[in-house]
Amino acid sequence: MSFLKNIFSSKKIKDSNQEESEFKGVYSTEAFDQRYVAQDYDKDQKIYGDSLKMIESYFIDNKLEKNITSPINHPLNLDQAIDDGMGFLNYGKAFQLQDNEIILFLAFAFNDFMIRNMDFNLYLDKEPEFPLRTMVLKYDQDEVVLSVYPFEYALKVMNNESSFNNLYTKVKNQLERIPRMNKNSDN
């Protein structure tokens, strides 16, 4: 069975030694497999590549020096693209993109970062709790699952309610606190 922890929640469990975390529930492997469909990162490289090119083009066209040289889709750079220059939303609209397409570029760029740098996997949720949560990144280790909703979060960032770096920092802190199981022990 896997424990599902989400970044966003109205119910929190407090431990005196830890920040607030949400315990969402217990899922069997069968229930997980029925609800979530793994997305093939390698097959979808064009989508990720196009998103990264769009971010790179934004910095070039606005003559901006990136906060982080590499990778282009580091959360600090994604936040910078939203705040500096003409703003990524206006940039996308100049290409006649709709708001949801612009947000998807950001979400896929963030997905790529989390997949490559934080060992997350992308899933399609067939039964999302909210409409913006069909795309879900999951980190699964030692029966503990951490979930992130990139499209929903990208929308929050675009609405100036948070930042990609804020989420990245939260995820790093959560991953540092995940209990590690020793697979070689007899316990």
Side-chain angles (χ1 to χ4, degrees), residues 1-166:
M1 291 189 194
S2 294
F3 292 97
L4 181 62
K5 287 185 174 182
N6 293 324
I7 297 291
F8 309 106
S9 171
S10 59
K11 296 179 183 177
K12 303 282 183 179
I13 297 174
K14 271 192 172 180
D15 181 321
S16 60
N17 297 328
Q18 296 180 341
E19 293 177 15
E20 293 182 356
S21 297
E22 176 196 2
F23 175 76
K24 186 64 176 172
V26 177
Y27 288 92
S28 68
T29 302
E30 295 80 24
F32 182 90
D33 290 343
Q34 286 178 350
R35 180 171 175 174
Y36 298 100
V37 177
Q39 302 299 291
D40 188 350
Y41 176 77
D42 294 327
K43 180 182 149 217
D44 296 330
Q45 275 302 301
K46 180 166 176 23
I47 295 169
Y48 291 105
D50 289 348
S51 297
L52 299 179
K53 286 177 190 173
M54 186 77 164
I55 302 295
E56 184 73 41
S57 295
Y58 180 79
F59 282 95
I60 292 169
D61 292 345
N62 283 277
K63 297 175 178 55
L64 295 172
E65 187 173 325
K66 298 175 283 260
N67 285 329
I68 304 292
T69 305
S70 180
I72 184 64
N73 59 337
H74 187 283
L76 286 172
N77 289 343
L78 296 178
D79 290 336
Q80 182 183 7
I82 291 167
D83 296 331
D84 293 357
M86 69 187 308
F88 195 73
L89 183 64
N90 291 328
Y91 184 72
K93 287 185 177 193
F95 289 101
Q96 298 179 348
L97 296 173
Q98 300 296 315
D99 290 359
N100 61 341
E101 295 169 317
I102 298 164
I103 293 167
L104 270 174
F105 273 112
L106 290 168
F108 275 110
F110 186 70
N111 287 352
D112 180 78
F113 180 83
M114 298 300 280
I115 290 167
R116 288 179 186 260
N117 298 290
M118 307 288 288
D119 294 324
F120 274 75
N121 293 301
L122 182 63
Y123 291 89
L124 172 69
D125 186 346
K126 295 188 285 187
E127 303 168 17
E129 296 172 16
F130 302 100
L132 300 177
R133 291 188 173 186
T134 56
M135 178 190 301
V136 58
L137 287 167
K138 290 192 174 286
Y139 177 89
D140 186 358
Q141 180 183 2
D142 297 331
E143 309 272 335
V144 175
V145 177
L146 180 66
S147 299
V148 175
Y149 303 98
F151 186 83
E152 179 183 57
Y153 205 83
L155 180 61
K156 285 184 178 198
V157 173
M158 291 298 291
N159 287 330
N160 295 313
E161 296 172 17
S162 195
S163 70
F164 284 109
N165 196 57
N166 184 21

